């Protein structure tokens, strides 16, 4: 992107530089096409377990299980993460939170997920990224990249957001955008970011919806010069997802993922 800034007044050179950017993420370095039925591939996916009392929750209501077919499985060429209304380990709901930490950790690239998300009041599905080693300290100092979030009381809403020490949800200063789509549960959509040392660009179905630029002010505004891993989950309730309560008629609720691909 530095090239773009330097030659913005020269049409021919600008075109050339845009092509360089567009072609910079063409090598597939990690993927899961979900072709083998059963539990998710253990060489690619691990689990966050338990409830928000573990320290990483947002007062959510579900219990995240591990290696439990009812909550996370591959079937019909798709990954299914299923939230259920059931009593489990003193929680009234179960779900799964899959992570690629230590099996898929990336610094820069295109991260692309083709998914159908569940819709319903109280649901909070997300496709997002957290730092592998948190080199600048605990949240929000080391950053967070939310490729996609939906809160079920706004059924058509799609949120793409970044959090840093300066810009984060606890201060109400997070940087992001909300867009609207009306067929999220019925249709697959491609949710992606393209991430360089200068810029994170967010896409829905290859349409750019938001970008966050490196302001060159240090890690406080740009902690995104370290490896991050991918997280896929369906939360129930919580500080944001549960603001309007939970509609128990929406269960079971399924996040269905056709593929995950990472290019560098």
């Amino acid at each position: 992107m530095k090239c773009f800034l330097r030659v913005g007044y020269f049409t021919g050179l600008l075109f050339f530089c845009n092509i360089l950017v567009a072609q910079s993420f063409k090598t597939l370095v990690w993927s899961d096409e979900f072709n083998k039925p059963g539990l998710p591939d253990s060489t690619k996916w691990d689990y966050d377990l338990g409830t928000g009392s573990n320290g990483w929750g947002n007062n959510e209501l579900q219990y995240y299980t591990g290696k439990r077919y009812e909550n996370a499985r591959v079937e019909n060429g798709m990954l299914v993460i299923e939230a259920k209304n059931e009593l489990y380990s003193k929680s009234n709901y179960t779900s799964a939170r899959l992570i690629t930490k230590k099996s898929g950790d990336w610094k820069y690239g295109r991260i692309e997920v083709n998914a159908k998300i569940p819709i319903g009041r109280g649901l909070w599905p997300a496709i997002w990224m957290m730092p592998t080693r948190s080199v600048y300290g605990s949240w929000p100092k080391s950053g967070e990249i939310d490729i996609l979030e939906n809160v079920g009381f706004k059924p058509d809403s799609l949120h793409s957001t970044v959090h840093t020490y300066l810009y984060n949800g606890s201060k109400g200063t997070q940087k992001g955008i909300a867009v609207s789509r009306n067929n999220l549960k019925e249709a697959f959509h491609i949710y992606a970011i393209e991430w360089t040392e200068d810029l994170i660009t967010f896409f829905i179905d290859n349409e750019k919806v938001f970008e966050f630029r490196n302001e060159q002010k240090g890690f406080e505004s740009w902690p995104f010069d370290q490896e991050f891993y991918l997280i896929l989950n369906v939360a129930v309730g919580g500080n944001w997802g549960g603001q309007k309560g939970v509609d128990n008629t929406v269960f079971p609720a399924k996040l269905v993922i056709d593929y995950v691909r990472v290019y560098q």
Side-chain angles (χ1 to χ4, degrees), residues 193-209:
I193 61 167
E194 292 188 358
W195 167 27
T196 71
E197 64 182 4
D198 297 311
L199 184 70
I200 303 174
T201 306
F202 293 76
F203 299 89
I204 299 174
D205 295 327
N206 295 313
E207 174 190 349
K208 183 174 79 172
V209 294

Side-chain angles (χ1 to χ4, degrees), residues 205-223:
D205 295 327
N206 295 313
E207 174 190 349
K208 183 174 79 172
V209 294
F210 177 66
E211 64 179 29
F212 179 73
R213 290 188 175 274
N214 184 352
E215 299 174 340
Q216 307 297 333
K217 296 180 180 178
F219 83 87
E220 291 88 351
S221 64
W222 185 268

Side-chain angles (χ1 to χ4, degrees), residues 33-196:
E33 304 293 330
F34 305 113
N35 292 324
K36 183 179 179 181
L39 292 175
D41 186 345
S42 61
T43 68
K44 297 180 178 180
W45 301 98
D46 201 355
Y47 304 82
D48 279 332
L49 303 176
T51 67
S53 61
N54 287 354
W56 41 254
N58 295 281
N59 295 310
E60 301 156 18
L61 303 176
Q62 79 291 326
Y63 189 99
Y64 284 130
T65 67
K67 298 183 179 180
R68 186 174 186 251
Y69 188 86
E70 291 86 348
N71 295 120
R73 60 190 177 274
V74 176
E75 60 183 15
N76 302 317
M78 308 285 177
L79 171 66
V80 177
I81 297 176
E82 183 169 337
K84 301 174 73 70
N85 179 200
E86 59 179 341
L87 183 62
Y88 188 97
S89 190
K90 299 182 180 180
S91 295
N92 291 320
Y93 305 91
T94 62
S95 187
R97 176 159 142 164
L98 271 62
I99 64 174
T100 64
K101 189 175 184 179
K102 298 183 180 179
S103 60
D105 307 270
W106 309 282
K107 177 182 173 181
Y108 311 140
R110 176 181 170 90
I111 293 87
E112 178 179 305
V113 180
N114 191 24
K116 290 193 299 187
I117 67 172
I119 297 299
R121 180 166 50 84
L123 298 178
W124 186 0
I127 300 168
W128 54 302
M129 303 184 76
M130 288 291 286
T132 302
R133 283 173 285 277
S134 295
V135 299
Y136 300 115
S138 59
W139 191 93
K141 292 179 180 178
S142 290
E144 174 182 329
I145 305 170
D146 298 326
I147 300 173
L148 159 75
E149 292 180 281
N150 169 269
V151 285
F153 62 85
K154 296 181 179 179
D156 298 335
S157 66
L158 296 172
H159 298 263
S160 299
T161 315
V162 297
H163 300 268
T164 72
Y165 181 69
L166 288 179
Y167 309 121
N168 65 76
S170 64
K171 297 178 180 179
T173 56
Q174 70 272 18
K175 298 293 185 178
I177 196 169
V179 299
S180 180
R181 298 288 188 276
N182 58 14
N183 60 347
L184 300 178
K185 185 177 180 180
E186 293 78 22
F188 284 94
H189 295 277
I190 298 173
Y191 305 101
I193 61 167
E194 292 188 358
W195 167 27
T196 71

